[in-house]
Amino acid sequence: MIERIQLPHGVLLQDTHEAVMEIPLGMTNVQEEEQLSELRKEDSFFLKCIKQELTEGKIYLSYELPSGFRPLRARNQESLQKKQKIAKNILKIKQIQGTQFTTYIHPDNIYSNEEGEVKFVHRGIRALLPPEQDNGKEFIFQMKCLLLSLFTGKSFFELLEKNLTTIPIQNAFIEKLAKAKSFSEMEQALSMKVQERKQVPEKKIKKPTPAVPVQSKAEKATAIDTKVENKRIKLETPVQKWGAALGILVFGLLAGTIITYLVQVKPGSSALAASNQDKSQLKSQLEQAENEKEAKEQILAGYKMILAGESEEAIKALEAAGDLSDEEKKVLAQQYVELNTPESLSKAANLDSELHGAIASKLVSLNTDDAKKALLSLKSDSPVVQIEQAWLGKEDDRIIKIFSEQLKDDKRAKKLAAHSYLRQEKINESFRLAVELKDVALQIAVKNKQIAMINSDGTKTQKEKEEQIKVIQKEIENINKANIDKKQ
């Protein structure tokens, strides 16, 4: 039975012998199958990609499943020792950071066998085939959620959403893993020795009672009040702490003593003014912390929507987060690209200049008036953007210059240059590029243009024209014949 699993940029089809990744072509920058040739190279971290196919607006990548390998979610009942071995092997995927390859941190994108060996399924290519890997803190956070899901049985998506606040702490290494902030800290946590199915209850450590000097009754009463306040401090919010501080201030004014409670407060009107000022500052800090917490929750919600393949919802969540880091802006830009509208592509361009070339290609594919306006308004140093803008403006000299100096190996640029040469009636240059492109229609268009030029040439006799045209028509017949033979 084939199982369909939704990933952020497509669908993973799984059965017992094969996994197939189905990706809409519009979510990629792939123009032809040959661009996927890098996936044919075997990599010990990934399943072997045995077939790459581009058809009907979709890319199909077929992966061979070795005997004994099962999805990671099928390993929840394994021993802790075996899970540790699997987890350590999963962490080795960090080695793709900084390379051209990417992958999904997702439980359905990972397989393992009884020996704890691990294989990732899908392998993306940066700026060509999704996903665009986040190499920063979110990459580490996603990896941490994945490993904690393996050890605790909690849903990977629930951990992503709730920020690890609901994990059951069964072992010290799980607590250490949850607190890890880097790959090395996760590796250290996984290297800890664990006891199977044993939970060590947390021990309450009694703090030694310091020696108390002989006190008067009034001093004892003051000490008792202070002790009670200190016990309450852990249960009070910052605002409540300030209420307690003001109460102690009043007591201090009456007793003529100096009391330190969170901040130093002196008797008198100047002390009260200072207290109010500090309270105002604390309130401001509290509001800032709450805003940051809300922003973080929005970002996590956005990442969850990305993993669920909901680009529009992801965009709403990330936009609501407000001030984003550079890495988060790149993630939001990628979601705008996937939405694939002139407006969203323009927003993506404003967030990430590295996507300008891909955005220009997508705007060209949309081929609408709005898309053309968006393309012309795009300010970019990318030669891909500049040559497309020159094409819309029919700037043939500029098109040829950009192609010759910067985009000689780009198929689209070569085609635009061929048409520009044709408009300038530079037949030989245009035909040469048309042959390199193996573009039969363009080759015939060049020959027909050559015939039109001969007919309009007033320096030739009619007989000369007929002889030259006859030769060109024979060339056109040969082009068509070669094309038919190739198809057969």
Side-chain angles (χ1 to χ4, degrees), residues 29-63:
N29 294 320
V30 177
Q31 302 292 330
E32 51 189 18
E33 285 183 22
E34 190 58 33
Q35 291 177 285
L36 303 173
S37 61
E38 287 293 315
L39 298 179
R40 298 171 195 156
K41 297 178 182 178
E42 293 192 31
D43 188 309
S44 59
F45 291 118
F46 294 91
L47 296 179
K48 183 178 180 181
C49 188
I50 55 178
K51 186 178 180 183
Q52 308 90 36
E53 186 178 4
L54 198 160
T55 180
E56 295 181 354
K58 292 183 180 179
I59 295 173
Y60 293 93
L61 304 172
S62 300
Y63 303 93

PDB file of all heavy atoms in Angstrom, residues 29-63:
ATOM      1  N   ASN A  29      13.426  25.945  -9.131  1.00  0.00           N
ATOM      2  CA  ASN A  29      14.028  26.741 -10.200  1.00  0.00           C
ATOM      3  C   ASN A  29      14.582  25.840 -11.296  1.00  0.00           C
ATOM      4  O   ASN A  29      15.469  26.235 -12.055  1.00  0.00           O
ATOM      5  CB  ASN A  29      15.143  27.619  -9.631  1.00  0.00           C
ATOM      6  CG  ASN A  29      14.612  28.665  -8.680  1.00  0.00           C
ATOM      7  OD1 ASN A  29      13.569  29.260  -8.931  1.00  0.00           O
ATOM      8  ND2 ASN A  29      15.300  28.879  -7.574  1.00  0.00           N
ATOM      9  N   VAL A  30      14.072  24.628 -11.369  1.00  0.00           N
ATOM     10  CA  VAL A  30      14.550  23.654 -12.350  1.00  0.00           C
ATOM     11  C   VAL A  30      13.935  23.945 -13.720  1.00  0.00           C
ATOM     12  O   VAL A  30      12.722  24.162 -13.841  1.00  0.00           O
ATOM     13  CB  VAL A  30      14.190  22.216 -11.902  1.00  0.00           C
ATOM     14  CG1 VAL A  30      14.612  21.204 -12.962  1.00  0.00           C
ATOM     15  CG2 VAL A  30      14.868  21.906 -10.574  1.00  0.00           C
ATOM     16  N   GLN A  31      14.776  23.943 -14.729  1.00  0.00           N
ATOM     17  CA  GLN A  31      14.325  24.163 -16.103  1.00  0.00           C
ATOM     18  C   GLN A  31      14.350  22.867 -16.913  1.00  0.00           C
ATOM     19  O   GLN A  31      13.529  22.668 -17.805  1.00  0.00           O
ATOM     20  CB  GLN A  31      15.222  25.203 -16.789  1.00  0.00           C
ATOM     21  CG  GLN A  31      15.269  26.549 -16.072  1.00  0.00           C
ATOM     22  CD  GLN A  31      13.956  27.291 -16.131  1.00  0.00           C
ATOM     23  OE1 GLN A  31      13.194  27.153 -17.083  1.00  0.00           O
ATOM     24  NE2 GLN A  31      13.661  28.082 -15.102  1.00  0.00           N
ATOM     25  N   GLU A  32      15.309  21.983 -16.624  1.00  0.00           N
ATOM     26  CA  GLU A  32      15.427  20.729 -17.370  1.00  0.00           C
ATOM     27  C   GLU A  32      16.010  19.645 -16.471  1.00  0.00           C
ATOM     28  O   GLU A  32      16.641  19.932 -15.442  1.00  0.00           O
ATOM     29  CB  GLU A  32      16.310  20.927 -18.604  1.00  0.00           C
ATOM     30  CG  GLU A  32      17.639  21.571 -18.301  1.00  0.00           C
ATOM     31  CD  GLU A  32      18.395  21.961 -19.560  1.00  0.00           C
ATOM     32  OE1 GLU A  32      17.778  22.057 -20.631  1.00  0.00           O
ATOM     33  OE2 GLU A  32      19.614  22.161 -19.446  1.00  0.00           O
ATOM     34  N   GLU A  33      15.800  18.383 -16.847  1.00  0.00           N
ATOM     35  CA  GLU A  33      16.196  17.247 -16.018  1.00  0.00           C
ATOM     36  C   GLU A  33      17.692  17.215 -15.740  1.00  0.00           C
ATOM     37  O   GLU A  33      18.133  16.776 -14.676  1.00  0.00           O
ATOM     38  CB  GLU A  33      15.777  15.930 -16.695  1.00  0.00           C
ATOM     39  CG  GLU A  33      14.293  15.636 -16.609  1.00  0.00           C
ATOM     40  CD  GLU A  33      13.932  14.294 -17.219  1.00  0.00           C
ATOM     41  OE1 GLU A  33      14.829  13.429 -17.323  1.00  0.00           O
ATOM     42  OE2 GLU A  33      12.769  14.123 -17.606  1.00  0.00           O
ATOM     43  N   GLU A  34      18.480  17.692 -16.670  1.00  0.00           N
ATOM     44  CA  GLU A  34      19.929  17.625 -16.528  1.00  0.00           C
ATOM     45  C   GLU A  34      20.414  18.390 -15.293  1.00  0.00           C
ATOM     46  O   GLU A  34      21.455  18.059 -14.719  1.00  0.00           O
ATOM     47  CB  GLU A  34      20.603  18.182 -17.788  1.00  0.00           C
ATOM     48  CG  GLU A  34      22.107  17.934 -17.858  1.00  0.00           C
ATOM     49  CD  GLU A  34      22.478  16.462 -17.781  1.00  0.00           C
ATOM     50  OE1 GLU A  34      21.701  15.618 -18.279  1.00  0.00           O
ATOM     51  OE2 GLU A  34      23.552  16.156 -17.229  1.00  0.00           O
ATOM     52  N   GLN A  35      19.645  19.385 -14.860  1.00  0.00           N
ATOM     53  CA  GLN A  35      20.024  20.140 -13.669  1.00  0.00           C
ATOM     54  C   GLN A  35      19.960  19.285 -12.397  1.00  0.00           C
ATOM     55  O   GLN A  35      20.521  19.655 -11.368  1.00  0.00           O
ATOM     56  CB  GLN A  35      19.115  21.363 -13.514  1.00  0.00           C
ATOM     57  CG  GLN A  35      19.328  22.432 -14.575  1.00  0.00           C
ATOM     58  CD  GLN A  35      18.344  23.587 -14.425  1.00  0.00           C
ATOM     59  OE1 GLN A  35      17.170  23.458 -14.760  1.00  0.00           O
ATOM     60  NE2 GLN A  35      18.829  24.701 -13.915  1.00  0.00           N
ATOM     61  N   LEU A  36      19.269  18.162 -12.473  1.00  0.00           N
ATOM     62  CA  LEU A  36      19.137  17.270 -11.326  1.00  0.00           C
ATOM     63  C   LEU A  36      20.200  16.183 -11.313  1.00  0.00           C
ATOM     64  O   LEU A  36      20.159  15.272 -10.480  1.00  0.00           O
ATOM     65  CB  LEU A  36      17.746  16.625 -11.326  1.00  0.00           C
ATOM     66  CG  LEU A  36      16.554  17.591 -11.312  1.00  0.00           C
ATOM     67  CD1 LEU A  36      15.257  16.825 -11.490  1.00  0.00           C
ATOM     68  CD2 LEU A  36      16.531  18.394 -10.021  1.00  0.00           C
ATOM     69  N   SER A  37      21.155  16.254 -12.222  1.00  0.00           N
ATOM     70  CA  SER A  37      22.163  15.200 -12.356  1.00  0.00           C
ATOM     71  C   SER A  37      22.997  15.016 -11.085  1.00  0.00           C
ATOM     72  O   SER A  37      23.506  13.919 -10.820  1.00  0.00           O
ATOM     73  CB  SER A  37      23.090  15.500 -13.540  1.00  0.00           C
ATOM     74  OG  SER A  37      23.767  16.735 -13.346  1.00  0.00           O
ATOM     75  N   GLU A  38      23.140  16.097 -10.284  1.00  0.00           N
ATOM     76  CA  GLU A  38      23.922  15.996  -9.047  1.00  0.00           C
ATOM     77  C   GLU A  38      23.327  14.966  -8.089  1.00  0.00           C
ATOM     78  O   GLU A  38      24.034  14.388  -7.266  1.00  0.00           O
ATOM     79  CB  GLU A  38      23.982  17.370  -8.355  1.00  0.00           C
ATOM     80  CG  GLU A  38      24.892  18.378  -9.034  1.00  0.00           C
ATOM     81  CD  GLU A  38      26.358  17.974  -8.956  1.00  0.00           C
ATOM     82  OE1 GLU A  38      26.802  17.567  -7.869  1.00  0.00           O
ATOM     83  OE2 GLU A  38      27.041  18.061  -9.981  1.00  0.00           O
ATOM     84  N   LEU A  39      22.012  14.742  -8.199  1.00  0.00           N
ATOM     85  CA  LEU A  39      21.351  13.792  -7.293  1.00  0.00           C
ATOM     86  C   LEU A  39      21.728  12.348  -7.607  1.00  0.00           C
ATOM     87  O   LEU A  39      21.488  11.453  -6.803  1.00  0.00           O
ATOM     88  CB  LEU A  39      19.832  13.967  -7.368  1.00  0.00           C
ATOM     89  CG  LEU A  39      19.291  15.333  -6.943  1.00  0.00           C
ATOM     90  CD1 LEU A  39      17.782  15.363  -7.085  1.00  0.00           C
ATOM     91  CD2 LEU A  39      19.697  15.669  -5.515  1.00  0.00           C
ATOM     92  N   ARG A  40      22.314  12.122  -8.779  1.00  0.00           N
ATOM     93  CA  ARG A  40      22.731  10.752  -9.137  1.00  0.00           C
ATOM     94  C   ARG A  40      23.965  10.313  -8.363  1.00  0.00           C
ATOM     95  O   ARG A  40      24.250   9.122  -8.261  1.00  0.00           O
ATOM     96  CB  ARG A  40      23.010  10.670 -10.638  1.00  0.00           C
ATOM     97  CG  ARG A  40      21.789  10.956 -11.503  1.00  0.00           C
ATOM     98  CD  ARG A  40      22.171  11.069 -12.956  1.00  0.00           C
ATOM     99  NE  ARG A  40      21.100  11.687 -13.745  1.00  0.00           N
ATOM    100  CZ  ARG A  40      21.279  12.315 -14.882  1.00  0.00           C
ATOM    101  NH1 ARG A  40      22.505  12.413 -15.399  1.00  0.00           N
ATOM    102  NH2 ARG A  40      20.260  12.857 -15.523  1.00  0.00           N
ATOM    103  N   LYS A  41      24.701  11.300  -7.846  1.00  0.00           N
ATOM    104  CA  LYS A  41      25.892  10.959  -7.070  1.00  0.00           C
ATOM    105  C   LYS A  41      25.468  10.364  -5.740  1.00  0.00           C
ATOM    106  O   LYS A  41      24.670  10.938  -5.013  1.00  0.00           O
ATOM    107  CB  LYS A  41      26.742  12.212  -6.843  1.00  0.00           C
ATOM    108  CG  LYS A  41      27.282  12.834  -8.122  1.00  0.00           C
ATOM    109  CD  LYS A  41      28.069  14.098  -7.807  1.00  0.00           C
ATOM    110  CE  LYS A  41      28.581  14.750  -9.084  1.00  0.00           C
ATOM    111  NZ  LYS A  41      29.310  16.025  -8.798  1.00  0.00           N
ATOM    112  N   GLU A  42      26.004   9.200  -5.406  1.00  0.00           N
ATOM    113  CA  GLU A  42      25.622   8.531  -4.162  1.00  0.00           C
ATOM    114  C   GLU A  42      26.233   9.246  -2.962  1.00  0.00           C
ATOM    115  O   GLU A  42      27.346   9.772  -3.013  1.00  0.00           O
ATOM    116  CB  GLU A  42      26.054   7.069  -4.200  1.00  0.00           C
ATOM    117  CG  GLU A  42      25.291   6.254  -5.242  1.00  0.00           C
ATOM    118  CD  GLU A  42      25.506   4.765  -5.094  1.00  0.00           C
ATOM    119  OE1 GLU A  42      25.716   4.313  -3.944  1.00  0.00           O
ATOM    120  OE2 GLU A  42      25.487   4.065  -6.113  1.00  0.00           O
ATOM    121  N   ASP A  43      25.472   9.268  -1.870  1.00  0.00           N
ATOM    122  CA  ASP A  43      25.901   9.914  -0.630  1.00  0.00           C
ATOM    123  C   ASP A  43      25.470   9.010   0.515  1.00  0.00           C
ATOM    124  O   ASP A  43      24.314   8.582   0.579  1.00  0.00           O
ATOM    125  CB  ASP A  43      25.243  11.293  -0.512  1.00  0.00           C
ATOM    126  CG  ASP A  43      25.790  12.110   0.651  1.00  0.00           C
ATOM    127  OD1 ASP A  43      25.823  11.585   1.777  1.00  0.00           O
ATOM    128  OD2 ASP A  43      26.179  13.273   0.425  1.00  0.00           O
ATOM    129  N   SER A  44      26.392   8.742   1.418  1.00  0.00           N
ATOM    130  CA  SER A  44      26.112   7.790   2.499  1.00  0.00           C
ATOM    131  C   SER A  44      24.995   8.258   3.429  1.00  0.00           C
ATOM    132  O   SER A  44      24.397   7.451   4.136  1.00  0.00           O
ATOM    133  CB  SER A  44      27.382   7.549   3.321  1.00  0.00           C
ATOM    134  OG  SER A  44      27.853   8.768   3.876  1.00  0.00           O
ATOM    135  N   PHE A  45      24.707   9.566   3.440  1.00  0.00           N
ATOM    136  CA  PHE A  45      23.657  10.084   4.315  1.00  0.00           C
ATOM    137  C   PHE A  45      22.259   9.923   3.715  1.00  0.00           C
ATOM    138  O   PHE A  45      21.266  10.074   4.418  1.00  0.00           O
ATOM    139  CB  PHE A  45      23.886  11.570   4.600  1.00  0.00           C
ATOM    140  CG  PHE A  45      25.084  11.843   5.461  1.00  0.00           C
ATOM    141  CD1 PHE A  45      26.135  12.596   4.974  1.00  0.00           C
ATOM    142  CD2 PHE A  45      25.176  11.332   6.738  1.00  0.00           C
ATOM    143  CE1 PHE A  45      27.248  12.851   5.764  1.00  0.00           C
ATOM    144  CE2 PHE A  45      26.281  11.581   7.535  1.00  0.00           C
ATOM    145  CZ  PHE A  45      27.323  12.338   7.040  1.00  0.00           C
ATOM    146  N   PHE A  46      22.170   9.636   2.408  1.00  0.00           N
ATOM    147  CA  PHE A  46      20.879   9.645   1.727  1.00  0.00           C
ATOM    148  C   PHE A  46      20.601   8.318   1.013  1.00  0.00           C
ATOM    149  O   PHE A  46      21.525   7.577   0.657  1.00  0.00           O
ATOM    150  CB  PHE A  46      20.843  10.781   0.696  1.00  0.00           C
ATOM    151  CG  PHE A  46      20.900  12.155   1.293  1.00  0.00           C
ATOM    152  CD1 PHE A  46      22.117  12.790   1.486  1.00  0.00           C
ATOM    153  CD2 PHE A  46      19.747  12.807   1.682  1.00  0.00           C
ATOM    154  CE1 PHE A  46      22.175  14.051   2.048  1.00  0.00           C
ATOM    155  CE2 PHE A  46      19.794  14.071   2.249  1.00  0.00           C
ATOM    156  CZ  PHE A  46      21.014  14.687   2.436  1.00  0.00           C
ATOM    157  N   LEU A  47      19.295   8.051   0.808  1.00  0.00           N
ATOM    158  CA  LEU A  47      18.910   6.927  -0.036  1.00  0.00           C
ATOM    159  C   LEU A  47      19.398   7.178  -1.474  1.00  0.00           C
ATOM    160  O   LEU A  47      19.509   8.327  -1.903  1.00  0.00           O
ATOM    161  CB  LEU A  47      17.388   6.764  -0.040  1.00  0.00           C
ATOM    162  CG  LEU A  47      16.712   6.399   1.289  1.00  0.00           C
ATOM    163  CD1 LEU A  47      15.209   6.306   1.090  1.00  0.00           C
ATOM    164  CD2 LEU A  47      17.255   5.104   1.854  1.00  0.00           C
ATOM    165  N   LYS A  48      19.640   6.127  -2.189  1.00  0.00           N
ATOM    166  CA  LYS A  48      20.110   6.255  -3.564  1.00  0.00           C
ATOM    167  C   LYS A  48      18.965   6.740  -4.457  1.00  0.00           C
ATOM    168  O   LYS A  48      17.889   6.149  -4.502  1.00  0.00           O
ATOM    169  CB  LYS A  48      20.620   4.902  -4.068  1.00  0.00           C
ATOM    170  CG  LYS A  48      21.196   4.945  -5.469  1.00  0.00           C
ATOM    171  CD  LYS A  48      21.714   3.576  -5.882  1.00  0.00           C
ATOM    172  CE  LYS A  48      22.289   3.613  -7.292  1.00  0.00           C
ATOM    173  NZ  LYS A  48      22.772   2.272  -7.709  1.00  0.00           N
ATOM    174  N   CYS A  49      19.216   7.854  -5.156  1.00  0.00           N
ATOM    175  CA  CYS A  49      18.215   8.403  -6.074  1.00  0.00           C
ATOM    176  C   CYS A  49      18.384   7.700  -7.418  1.00  0.00           C
ATOM    177  O   CYS A  49      19.340   7.962  -8.152  1.00  0.00           O
ATOM    178  CB  CYS A  49      18.397   9.914  -6.213  1.00  0.00           C
ATOM    179  SG  CYS A  49      17.079  10.707  -7.150  1.00  0.00           S
ATOM    180  N   ILE A  50      17.465   6.794  -7.740  1.00  0.00           N
ATOM    181  CA  ILE A  50      17.635   5.945  -8.917  1.00  0.00           C
ATOM    182  C   ILE A  50      16.988   6.513 -10.181  1.00  0.00           C
ATOM    183  O   ILE A  50      17.235   6.055 -11.285  1.00  0.00           O
ATOM    184  CB  ILE A  50      17.062   4.530  -8.643  1.00  0.00           C
ATOM    185  CG1 ILE A  50      15.600   4.617  -8.187  1.00  0.00           C
ATOM    186  CG2 ILE A  50      17.906   3.808  -7.617  1.00  0.00           C
ATOM    187  CD1 ILE A  50      14.940   3.273  -7.928  1.00  0.00           C
ATOM    188  N   LYS A  51      16.152   7.559 -10.003  1.00  0.00           N
ATOM    189  CA  LYS A  51      15.481   8.120 -11.184  1.00  0.00           C
ATOM    190  C   LYS A  51      15.054   9.555 -10.917  1.00  0.00           C
ATOM    191  O   LYS A  51      14.567   9.880  -9.838  1.00  0.00           O
ATOM    192  CB  LYS A  51      14.252   7.269 -11.543  1.00  0.00           C
ATOM    193  CG  LYS A  51      13.560   7.661 -12.840  1.00  0.00           C
ATOM    194  CD  LYS A  51      12.389   6.731 -13.116  1.00  0.00           C
ATOM    195  CE  LYS A  51      11.670   7.087 -14.401  1.00  0.00           C
ATOM    196  NZ  LYS A  51      10.498   6.236 -14.647  1.00  0.00           N
ATOM    197  N   GLN A  52      15.282  10.423 -11.919  1.00  0.00           N
ATOM    198  CA  GLN A  52      14.812  11.803 -11.855  1.00  0.00           C
ATOM    199  C   GLN A  52      13.986  12.063 -13.116  1.00  0.00           C
ATOM    200  O   GLN A  52      14.461  11.848 -14.223  1.00  0.00           O
ATOM    201  CB  GLN A  52      15.979  12.797 -11.804  1.00  0.00           C
ATOM    202  CG  GLN A  52      17.003  12.497 -10.712  1.00  0.00           C
ATOM    203  CD  GLN A  52      18.100  11.586 -11.178  1.00  0.00           C
ATOM    204  OE1 GLN A  52      18.543  11.658 -12.312  1.00  0.00           O
ATOM    205  NE2 GLN A  52      18.558  10.703 -10.318  1.00  0.00           N
ATOM    206  N   GLU A  53      12.766  12.523 -12.922  1.00  0.00           N
ATOM    207  CA  GLU A  53      11.870  12.712 -14.059  1.00  0.00           C
ATOM    208  C   GLU A  53      11.127  14.038 -13.937  1.00  0.00           C
ATOM    209  O   GLU A  53      10.637  14.397 -12.872  1.00  0.00           O
ATOM    210  CB  GLU A  53      10.866  11.550 -14.121  1.00  0.00           C
ATOM    211  CG  GLU A  53       9.983  11.567 -15.360  1.00  0.00           C
ATOM    212  CD  GLU A  53       9.040  10.379 -15.409  1.00  0.00           C
ATOM    213  OE1 GLU A  53       9.023   9.586 -14.447  1.00  0.00           O
ATOM    214  OE2 GLU A  53       8.313  10.253 -16.402  1.00  0.00           O
ATOM    215  N   LEU A  54      11.060  14.758 -15.040  1.00  0.00           N
ATOM    216  CA  LEU A  54      10.349  16.031 -15.100  1.00  0.00           C
ATOM    217  C   LEU A  54       9.220  15.884 -16.114  1.00  0.00           C
ATOM    218  O   LEU A  54       9.463  15.743 -17.310  1.00  0.00           O
ATOM    219  CB  LEU A  54      11.326  17.143 -15.514  1.00  0.00           C
ATOM    220  CG  LEU A  54      10.940  18.600 -15.236  1.00  0.00           C
ATOM    221  CD1 LEU A  54      12.201  19.463 -15.255  1.00  0.00           C
ATOM    222  CD2 LEU A  54       9.978  19.118 -16.294  1.00  0.00           C
ATOM    223  N   THR A  55       7.976  15.881 -15.624  1.00  0.00           N
ATOM    224  CA  THR A  55       6.849  15.667 -16.530  1.00  0.00           C
ATOM    225  C   THR A  55       5.578  16.304 -15.984  1.00  0.00           C
ATOM    226  O   THR A  55       5.357  16.335 -14.763  1.00  0.00           O
ATOM    227  CB  THR A  55       6.607  14.156 -16.754  1.00  0.00           C
ATOM    228  OG1 THR A  55       5.505  13.982 -17.646  1.00  0.00           O
ATOM    229  CG2 THR A  55       6.305  13.432 -15.461  1.00  0.00           C
ATOM    230  N   GLU A  56       4.761  16.845 -16.876  1.00  0.00           N
ATOM    231  CA  GLU A  56       3.453  17.411 -16.555  1.00  0.00           C
ATOM    232  C   GLU A  56       3.514  18.399 -15.390  1.00  0.00           C
ATOM    233  O   GLU A  56       2.683  18.372 -14.477  1.00  0.00           O
ATOM    234  CB  GLU A  56       2.464  16.283 -16.239  1.00  0.00           C
ATOM    235  CG  GLU A  56       2.184  15.390 -17.446  1.00  0.00           C
ATOM    236  CD  GLU A  56       1.190  14.293 -17.126  1.00  0.00           C
ATOM    237  OE1 GLU A  56       0.812  14.164 -15.944  1.00  0.00           O
ATOM    238  OE2 GLU A  56       0.799  13.574 -18.049  1.00  0.00           O
ATOM    239  N   GLY A  57       4.521  19.260 -15.410  1.00  0.00           N
ATOM    240  CA  GLY A  57       4.625  20.300 -14.398  1.00  0.00           C
ATOM    241  C   GLY A  57       5.050  19.821 -13.030  1.00  0.00           C
ATOM    242  O   GLY A  57       4.912  20.547 -12.042  1.00  0.00           O
ATOM    243  N   LYS A  58       5.589  18.610 -12.943  1.00  0.00           N
ATOM    244  CA  LYS A  58       6.041  18.078 -11.664  1.00  0.00           C
ATOM    245  C   LYS A  58       7.391  17.387 -11.825  1.00  0.00           C
ATOM    246  O   LYS A  58       7.749  16.927 -12.906  1.00  0.00           O
ATOM    247  CB  LYS A  58       5.021  17.089 -11.085  1.00  0.00           C
ATOM    248  CG  LYS A  58       3.724  17.753 -10.648  1.00  0.00           C
ATOM    249  CD  LYS A  58       2.784  16.740 -10.009  1.00  0.00           C
ATOM    250  CE  LYS A  58       1.490  17.422  -9.566  1.00  0.00           C
ATOM    251  NZ  LYS A  58       0.549  16.473  -8.963  1.00  0.00           N
ATOM    252  N   ILE A  59       8.132  17.321 -10.709  1.00  0.00           N
ATOM    253  CA  ILE A  59       9.395  16.594 -10.663  1.00  0.00           C
ATOM    254  C   ILE A  59       9.176  15.349  -9.815  1.00  0.00           C
ATOM    255  O   ILE A  59       8.612  15.420  -8.715  1.00  0.00           O
ATOM    256  CB  ILE A  59      10.513  17.462 -10.046  1.00  0.00           C
ATOM    257  CG1 ILE A  59      10.806  18.666 -10.942  1.00  0.00           C
ATOM    258  CG2 ILE A  59      11.785  16.652  -9.832  1.00  0.00           C
ATOM    259  CD1 ILE A  59      11.771  19.651 -10.334  1.00  0.00           C
ATOM    260  N   TYR A  60       9.612  14.204 -10.335  1.00  0.00           N
ATOM    261  CA  TYR A  60       9.509  12.949  -9.595  1.00  0.00           C
ATOM    262  C   TYR A  60      10.920  12.417  -9.342  1.00  0.00           C
ATOM    263  O   TYR A  60      11.690  12.178 -10.280  1.00  0.00           O
ATOM    264  CB  TYR A  60       8.690  11.917 -10.377  1.00  0.00           C
ATOM    265  CG  TYR A  60       7.230  12.295 -10.521  1.00  0.00           C
ATOM    266  CD1 TYR A  60       6.790  13.000 -11.637  1.00  0.00           C
ATOM    267  CD2 TYR A  60       6.308  11.958  -9.543  1.00  0.00           C
ATOM    268  CE1 TYR A  60       5.452  13.361 -11.773  1.00  0.00           C
ATOM    269  CE2 TYR A  60       4.968  12.319  -9.674  1.00  0.00           C
ATOM    270  CZ  TYR A  60       4.542  13.011 -10.792  1.00  0.00           C
ATOM    271  OH  TYR A  60       3.235  13.368 -10.926  1.00  0.00           O
ATOM    272  N   LEU A  61      11.240  12.226  -8.067  1.00  0.00           N
ATOM    273  CA  LEU A  61      12.546  11.690  -7.676  1.00  0.00           C
ATOM    274  C   LEU A  61      12.303  10.351  -6.987  1.00  0.00           C
ATOM    275  O   LEU A  61      11.631  10.291  -5.951  1.00  0.00           O
ATOM    276  CB  LEU A  61      13.259  12.656  -6.733  1.00  0.00           C
ATOM    277  CG  LEU A  61      13.454  14.091  -7.263  1.00  0.00           C
ATOM    278  CD1 LEU A  61      13.995  14.990  -6.158  1.00  0.00           C
ATOM    279  CD2 LEU A  61      14.385  14.100  -8.459  1.00  0.00           C
ATOM    280  N   SER A  62      12.845   9.282  -7.557  1.00  0.00           N
ATOM    281  CA  SER A  62      12.615   7.937  -7.018  1.00  0.00           C
ATOM    282  C   SER A  62      13.832   7.473  -6.229  1.00  0.00           C
ATOM    283  O   SER A  62      14.971   7.586  -6.703  1.00  0.00           O
ATOM    284  CB  SER A  62      12.339   6.953  -8.162  1.00  0.00           C
ATOM    285  OG  SER A  62      11.198   7.357  -8.894  1.00  0.00           O
ATOM    286  N   TYR A  63      13.581   6.944  -5.029  1.00  0.00           N
ATOM    287  CA  TYR A  63      14.655   6.501  -4.148  1.00  0.00           C
ATOM    288  C   TYR A  63      14.483   5.019  -3.828  1.00  0.00           C
ATOM    289  O   TYR A  63      13.365   4.545  -3.579  1.00  0.00           O
ATOM    290  CB  TYR A  63      14.639   7.282  -2.836  1.00  0.00           C
ATOM    291  CG  TYR A  63      14.744   8.777  -3.015  1.00  0.00           C
ATOM    292  CD1 TYR A  63      13.598   9.573  -3.098  1.00  0.00           C
ATOM    293  CD2 TYR A  63      15.975   9.410  -3.086  1.00  0.00           C
ATOM    294  CE1 TYR A  63      13.687  10.954  -3.251  1.00  0.00           C
ATOM    295  CE2 TYR A  63      16.069  10.781  -3.242  1.00  0.00           C
ATOM    296  CZ  TYR A  63      14.922  11.544  -3.326  1.00  0.00           C
ATOM    297  OH  TYR A  63      15.020  12.893  -3.480  1.00  0.00           O
TER     298      TYR A  63
END
